[in-house]
Amino acid sequence: MDANRKRLDIVGLCGSLRTGSLNGMALRLAGECMPPYMVLEVVEWSLVPPFNADVLELGIPVPVQRIRDRIARADGVVIATPEYNFSLPGMFKNLIDWVSRGVDQPLAHKPVAILSAATGPLGGARVQYDLRRVLLFVNAMVLVKPEVFIGNARSKFASDGQCIDEATRQFVTGQMDSFGRWIAQARALQQA
């Protein structure tokens, strides 16, 4: 790492809560493939309650506020999510709905990279387009390319979660390199 380069703090969000999630494996792979000046912390969100405006009137729940604060401190966010019924998992959309409340919502102008893994050949392509639409509305700065869709993902990860497919590792490395540059470009735009 260049001694003058600031270490980038990246938050990882997995759209699946399942212990053996392929997208959890993909998210860990993204962390492994990041340039040395980037560090990934995967944030746990299973305690986020269903969104309810009555609850919001009483204040943002503590588990939600912790995630909001963590995203606000981060230089960027990497999301790996499965596709459920051609779209986002309901509870993951619920998380975004909670995080986006208030004028200080932390995803506004935050650089975001998306990847997905699926057992089918499309690799979760449809979920990414829906997720991009949602993130556009909350003013996130989503990296457009390269896109990463990990199709037939069971064959690309070992039982311990390690990626065993070199092409997949190269695609994810390329995306993480681009994400580092995207964060620098986003900062320059915000300072201009």
Side-chain angles (χ1 to χ4, degrees):
M1 181 172 84
D2 180 352
N4 297 321
R5 187 170 215 161
K6 177 189 178 286
R7 185 169 286 252
L8 295 180
D9 173 34
I10 309 298
V11 165
L13 295 173
C14 183
S16 172
L17 296 172
R18 190 171 63 83
T19 303
S21 165
L22 290 167
N23 283 277
M25 294 175 195
L27 190 56
R28 286 188 296 279
L29 175 62
E32 293 169 16
C33 293
M34 287 179 172
Y37 61 87
M38 296 171 75
V39 177
L40 178 73
E41 179 189 358
V42 177
V43 173
E44 167 62 38
W45 58 271
S46 63
L47 297 179
V48 171
F51 181 79
N52 181 329
D54 292 336
V55 173
L56 178 60
E57 282 185 24
L58 301 173
I60 294 177
V62 171
V64 175
Q65 191 59 52
R66 284 187 185 130
I67 294 168
R68 287 171 48 86
D69 292 345
R70 183 64 186 93
I71 291 171
R73 289 191 314 270
D75 295 301
V77 177
V78 174
I79 297 173
T81 185
E83 179 180 304
Y84 289 1
N85 297 321
F86 281 27
S87 190
L88 282 77
M91 287 305 293
F92 190 62
K93 172 66 166 59
N94 177 72
L95 170 66
I96 296 170
D97 291 341
W98 266 118
V99 167
S100 71
R101 298 301 160 186
V103 294
D104 63 339
Q105 74 92 356
L107 287 169
H109 309 291
K110 186 70 64 176
V112 177
I114 301 169
L115 65 156
S116 55
T119 56
L122 296 180
R126 293 171 292 229
V127 70
Q128 288 198 27
Y129 298 121
D130 268 4
L131 180 56
R132 287 174 191 278
R133 205 167 36 107
V134 171
L135 292 171
L136 174 69
F137 185 78
V138 299
N139 249 359
M141 299 179 74
V142 181
L143 176 69
V144 177
K145 291 181 182 177
E147 295 176 305
V148 174
F149 310 107
I150 305 171
N152 303 308
R154 283 200 210 289
S155 68
K156 295 178 180 165
F157 292 93
S159 60
D160 64 358
Q162 291 300 306
C163 179
I164 55 174
D165 182 67
E166 190 54 35
T168 297
R169 184 173 292 278
Q170 288 176 6
F171 286 135
V172 174
T173 297
Q175 186 188 46
M176 292 302 103
D177 287 340
S178 293
F179 189 46
R181 290 190 300 277
W182 178 240
I183 292 170
Q185 290 171 354
R187 281 188 175 157
L189 285 172
Q190 289 173 11
Q191 292 171 356

